[in-house]
Amino acid sequence: MTIYNLYIFDKLGTLLYYGEWNRLKQSGITKDEEAKLMYGMLFSIKSFVSKISPVEPREGFLYYKTNKYALHYLEVPSGLKFVLNTDNTSTGIREFLQNIYTKIWVEYVVRNPLWTIGTPVSSDIFKAKLDEYVKQSPLYGAKLL
Amino acid sequence: MVIYGVYIVNKSGGLIFNLDHNLPKIETEKTFSYPLDINLEYEPKRISVSFGQRDGINVGHHLVSVNGMQVNGSVLEDGRDVREIIESKDSYPLSLKFSRPKMTTNEKIFLASMFYPLFAIASQLSPEPKSSGIEVLEADTFRLHCFQTLTGVKFMIFAENMQAGIDVLLRRIYELYADYVLKNPFYSLEMPIRCELFDTNLQALLDQVEKGGVASI
């Protein structure tokens, strides 16, 4: 069980926050470009899923897995997107992401009057609370090397 | 066991085989009175629901018939304009039939080639070294299983969510591909698969799996 990294995008595709824990490989491009690539991929997956789905999707895309990691995706109705990479055996990540949204994002970002909508989050308290929440979770296991 | 479809994509991302299996047909017919309580969007080639989903008529569904008469683009079979009928009070009550749009072959080819970069980006954005591309992609209505052979051909199965043992089925389909497609002297590599034996054997395999589960193969 490991958590690698977390991306938070808004509805326009701006990277609002990026957090990294046990990431073992960097993509070899700048963070900015990586965020664009990630958002582009998610956008395509969303449209792919809605077209190819045999019946009407409600939540649409949930996650994908490769042989090494799993990417979990949560989109809230306002268009805010949470993307979490974990190892591919972890479970219960959807609830975990939902909690990050309700307990940490809403509390420490949305209720912070100094944050302007649509700009990257630089609040230290958000960063600290998120880090604490991730590290306390059972999903955050020891780094396996 | 429900399998919605099988797709085979060659190593350059082109769709070379596709089989729809058990795709549910979603159609709703309902009688409306004036004024219409759903918003329609009139495009030159189709009329679709843009707002106000109810009773199984969802946003994005296309209008297929008016009072039992087929709609072609924006006109009825007898040449009358659909918009005029829907907007005039005299034509009500009106029975409209909507359906979820079916994918055309072109759209399938487009989607198959769209999966190719997704597969590649997933491995590039991996936080761990030496990751493969997407193997399983889950949405709330289906699960996509993808198996890439060493030669780069991708086999994809769209199935119901809680379906175990699809990997075995994917490998069986690979076997069928090796037996009936690659050994067919009239088949040229990378081209769409038109081999009758492959079709029949694949169909038989899917039927068997549907009846007896993956354990039966």
Side-chain angles (χ1 to χ4, degrees):
Chain A
M1 301 266 225
T2 327
I3 289 177
Y4 296 118
N5 50 5
L6 170 78
Y7 300 79
I8 303 176
F9 294 100
D10 73 356
K11 64 176 171 196
L12 301 173
T14 320
L15 181 68
L16 299 182
Y17 185 78
Y18 174 73
E20 186 171 302
W21 289 276
N22 291 326
R23 187 168 178 172
L24 300 171
K25 174 194 162 244
Q26 298 299 328
S27 53
I29 49 179
T30 63
K31 278 275 117 52
D32 216 32
E33 281 178 343
E34 188 186 292
K36 282 182 195 162
L37 188 61
M38 174 64 87
Y39 187 79
M41 177 181 71
L42 294 169
F43 192 83
S44 312
I45 290 183
K46 255 178 68 178
S47 108
F48 178 79
V49 163
S50 73
K51 283 205 185 103
I52 217 152
S53 171
V55 291
E56 218 71 45
R58 278 175 318 257
E59 298 205 53
F61 173 52
L62 303 176
Y63 66 80
Y64 74 67
K65 281 181 182 177
T66 74
N67 63 351
K68 294 278 186 192
Y69 78 106
L71 176 143
H72 296 260
Y73 177 78
L74 173 76
E75 181 171 351
V76 298
S78 61
L80 198 68
K81 296 164 183 72
F82 291 81
V83 182
L84 186 76
N85 287 330
T86 67
D87 66 321
N88 52 16
T89 54
S90 305
T91 50
I93 306 206
R94 213 164 166 74
E95 294 73 44
F96 180 76
L97 281 177
Q98 240 136 16
N99 283 339
I100 289 186
Y101 173 58
T102 54
K103 291 189 181 144
I104 301 177
W105 181 264
V106 173
E107 292 292 329
Y108 300 103
V109 178
V110 179
R111 295 193 175 164
N112 176 0
L114 298 177
W115 175 65
T116 331
I117 293 173
T119 57
V121 178
S122 49
S123 148
D124 285 334
I125 183 154
F126 168 72
K127 214 178 268 184
K129 289 283 174 187
L130 180 68
D131 201 50
E132 187 192 321
Y133 187 72
V134 167
K135 284 187 175 160
Q136 270 176 5
S137 147
L139 295 168
Y140 183 85
K143 193 170 179 174
L144 301 168
L145 287 172
Chain B
M1 173 129 195
V2 182
I3 291 165
Y4 297 121
V6 177
Y7 289 68
I8 303 177
V9 177
N10 68 15
K11 62 174 173 238
S12 34
L15 183 67
I16 54 172
F17 181 82
N18 147 257
L19 177 97
D20 285 336
H21 191 75
N22 265 334
L23 269 188
K25 201 174 180 190
I26 300 168
E27 280 191 340
T28 328
E29 189 156 18
K30 198 177 173 323
T31 309
F32 291 90
S33 53
Y34 189 81
L36 204 61
D37 49 5
I38 53 178
N39 291 9
L40 296 178
E41 192 179 339
Y42 300 90
E43 287 162 53
K45 283 202 169 149
R46 72 185 86 89
I47 297 168
S48 56
V49 180
S50 62
F51 183 75
Q53 58 184 37
R54 50 174 296 195
D55 305 333
I57 299 168
N58 287 0
V59 169
H61 281 192
H62 292 172
L63 182 65
V64 285
S65 72
V66 176
N67 286 338
M69 208 183 276
Q70 201 77 27
V71 175
N72 294 327
S74 60
V75 290
L76 281 183
E77 269 175 335
D78 58 4
R80 285 183 297 163
D81 190 59
V82 177
R83 186 173 195 156
E84 274 171 26
I85 297 176
I86 288 177
E87 285 176 356
S88 86
K89 198 176 175 178
D90 310 329
S91 45
Y92 285 82
L94 206 55
S95 157
L96 303 176
K97 190 193 233 174
F98 293 91
S99 97
R100 183 172 158 77
K102 271 195 83 179
M103 263 195 295
T104 60
T105 312
N106 264 337
E107 274 177 322
K108 282 176 190 157
I109 294 172
F110 170 75
L111 286 176
S113 51
M114 193 167 144
F115 186 73
Y116 184 83
L118 298 179
F119 189 88
I121 295 174
S123 99
Q124 195 195 343
L125 287 176
S126 163
E128 269 216 47
K130 298 199 188 78
S131 171
S132 70
I134 297 175
E135 285 182 344
V136 176
L137 184 149
E138 179 151 347
D140 56 353
T141 45
F142 69 92
R143 190 184 270 178
L144 161 67
H145 296 257
C146 178
F147 166 60
Q148 179 166 256
T149 69
L150 288 174
T151 48
V153 182
K154 288 187 192 69
F155 292 83
M156 293 194 266
I157 291 185
F158 289 81
E160 242 183 352
N161 285 60
M162 305 308 284
Q163 208 65 83
I166 297 280
D167 333 9
V168 184
L169 181 60
L170 278 168
R171 275 161 188 75
R172 276 289 291 151
I173 297 178
Y174 183 28
E175 250 174 67
L176 292 182
Y177 169 77
D179 280 346
Y180 297 108
V181 179
L182 298 183
K183 287 180 190 167
N184 182 341
F186 299 104
Y187 175 70
S188 48
L189 218 56
E190 306 277 292
M191 293 307 278
I193 298 172
R194 290 185 214 291
C195 304
E196 215 174 284
L197 270 177
F198 180 69
D199 287 349
T200 49
N201 279 285
L202 181 62
Q203 194 66 51
L205 176 68
L206 292 181
D207 289 343
Q208 190 190 346
V209 164
E210 214 147 46
K211 273 194 212 107
V214 179
S216 62
I217 52 175

